[in-house]
């Protein structure tokens, strides 16, 4: 086993930097994924990202290039197995067979009562939220191992920790992701790959704007959140970046809620 990268001393250079790191962030055109791409790139990482919308990827790329970020993109539907395989081939080519950081961010939701989900909706949510992340870990493992200091971060949800009325399938995918975090942390520690999970509360993005536009719903979320507001994507990306830095090299297997205190205030489920 190669010597693990450590945080070193407090004064160690690079402890709070991602210079020289190579990262794959899924779903980087909007919301939390976009904030993660920008946070990692601003801290010095070379980042590859993907989404299904070529035009939006092109717009983002222009913005990122104008800001001096080192970002490349692929059009990819992560719910399809062959497209995930192609994505990892692109990443291996771009980064010379190594990957330091894998952020499994893509996820979506269909909110409805359990009795109303169709078999296709079940398969779609499972493939998009869970199978894609699981398969990307499998495909990415040799690249992360080759890095000598790999870091996987899953973007889960508080819906995988407590019972919310966000939809049972979504909650199941996120709960499974929280468990996967622990298993991979144990299984792949020998390869110097750390695995952690960030579980956001309500964050204003294109995924949540519809439901948060309902003022009654938004009010109920705020009233159950000690910080009395929803979060912003940059409040998630800061923790993701930390979990990928030399400053966090003794943290693995953790699911960390970033939710304004929602899951600790004792008022769930409601
Ligand atoms: P958004 O819908 O705002 O952004 C999702 C991103 O993923 C977009 O870039 C989208 O691009 C891409 N994407 C979606 N499906 C696919 C796919 N099949 N293949 C490739 N790319 C895809 O979502 P958020 O930023 O809100 O959510 C990001 C993660 O955070 C998700 O896992 C979500 O469950 C989690 N989360 C979000 C919360 C919130 O309140 N917003 C709360 C808790 C967790 P495109 O559609 O063009 O493909």
């Amino acid at each position: 086993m190669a010597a693990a990268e450590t945080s070193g001393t407090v004064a160690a250079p690079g402890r709070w930097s991602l210079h020289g790191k190579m990262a794959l962030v899924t779903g980087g055109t909007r919301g939390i994924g976009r904030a993660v791409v920008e946070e990692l790139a601003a801290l010095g990482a070379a980042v590859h990202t993907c989404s299904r919308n070529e035009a939006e990827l092109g717009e983002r790329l222009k913005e990122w290039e104008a800001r001096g970020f080192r970002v490349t993109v692929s059009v990819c539907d992560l719910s399809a197995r062959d497209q995930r395989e192609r994505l990892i081939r692109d990443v291996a080519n771009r980064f010379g067979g190594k990957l330091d950081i894998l952020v499994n961010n893509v996820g979506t939701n269909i909110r409805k009562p359990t009795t109303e989900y169709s078999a296709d909706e079940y398969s779609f949510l499972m493939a998009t939220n869970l199978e894609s992340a699981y398969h990307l870990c499998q495909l990415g493992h040799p690249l992360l191992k080759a890095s000598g200091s790999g870091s996987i971060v899953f973007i889960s949800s508080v819906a995988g920790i407590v019972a919310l009325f966000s939809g049972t399938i979504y909650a199941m995918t996120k709960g499974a992701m929280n468990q996967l975090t622990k298993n991979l942390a144990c299984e792949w520690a020998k390869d110097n790959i750390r695995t952690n999970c960030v579980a956001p509360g309500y964050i204003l993005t294109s995924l949540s704007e519809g439901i948060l536009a309902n003022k009654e719903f938004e009010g109920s979320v705020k009233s159950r959140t000690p910080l009395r507001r929803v979060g912003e994507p940059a409040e998630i990306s800061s923790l993701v970046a930390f979990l990928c830095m030399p400053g966090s090299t003794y943290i693995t297997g953790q699911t960390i809620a970033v939710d304004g205190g929602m899951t600790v205030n004792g008022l769930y489920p409601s």
Side-chain angles (χ1 to χ4, degrees), residues 72-83:
T72 49
V73 300
S74 298
V75 180
C76 175
D77 181 349
L78 282 183
S79 65
R81 194 171 183 87
D82 60 334
Q83 296 197 32

Side-chain angles (χ1 to χ4, degrees), residues 41-95:
L43 287 161
V47 183
H48 191 85
T49 191
C50 66
S51 82
R52 293 165 298 183
N53 184 326
E54 187 169 11
E56 196 171 34
L57 271 172
E59 278 170 37
R60 287 292 104 81
L61 194 56
K62 271 193 225 147
E63 291 164 20
W64 290 328
E65 283 170 355
R67 293 169 71 181
F69 293 159
R70 289 186 300 149
V71 182
T72 49
V73 300
S74 298
V75 180
C76 175
D77 181 349
L78 282 183
S79 65
R81 194 171 183 87
D82 60 334
Q83 296 197 32
R84 298 192 289 262
E85 288 165 350
R86 198 185 61 209
L87 174 68
I88 294 295
R89 278 198 300 276
D90 288 351
V91 166
N93 287 337
R94 178 176 178 212
F95 293 144

Side-chain angles (χ1 to χ4, degrees), residues 177-239:
M177 199 171 242
N178 298 346
Q179 181 60 39
L180 178 59
T181 300
K182 296 184 211 176
N183 282 71
L184 290 187
C186 292
E187 194 178 320
W188 290 352
K190 66 177 184 348
D191 301 322
N192 292 330
I193 298 171
R194 294 181 301 112
T195 307
N196 290 291
C197 184
V198 176
Y202 285 94
I203 307 297
L204 190 56
T205 69
S206 58
L207 181 64
S208 61
E209 66 189 357
I211 191 155
L212 291 172
N214 176 334
K215 290 298 155 199
E216 194 183 333
F217 181 83
E218 188 195 27
S220 80
V221 168
K222 288 181 179 172
S223 74
R224 287 175 283 153
T225 303
L227 288 179
R228 295 283 181 266
R229 63 179 176 84
V230 299
E232 294 169 17
E235 293 180 304
I236 305 301
S237 60
S238 50
L239 176 58

Side-chain angles (χ1 to χ4, degrees), residues 98-178:
K98 289 186 188 175
L99 184 65
D100 302 300
I101 297 165
L102 168 59
V103 182
N104 283 302
N105 164 71
V106 159
T108 193
N109 200 3
I110 301 168
R111 292 183 179 85
K112 52 166 69 172
T114 298
T115 50
E116 292 178 15
Y117 282 110
S118 68
D120 283 349
E121 287 168 337
Y122 181 90
S123 300
F124 168 73
L125 286 173
M126 283 290 170
T128 305
N129 291 9
L130 183 61
E131 187 189 335
S132 70
Y134 185 82
H135 190 205
L136 286 181
C137 289
Q138 287 181 314
L139 295 167
H141 176 263
L143 310 183
L144 291 157
K145 186 175 173 181
S147 126
S149 181
S151 176
I152 298 171
V153 181
F154 293 104
I155 306 298
S156 163
S157 169
V158 292
I161 300 174
V162 294
L164 304 180
F165 283 113
S166 65
T168 45
I169 303 173
Y170 181 81
M172 286 158 64
T173 63
K174 299 302 187 178
M177 199 171 242
N178 298 346

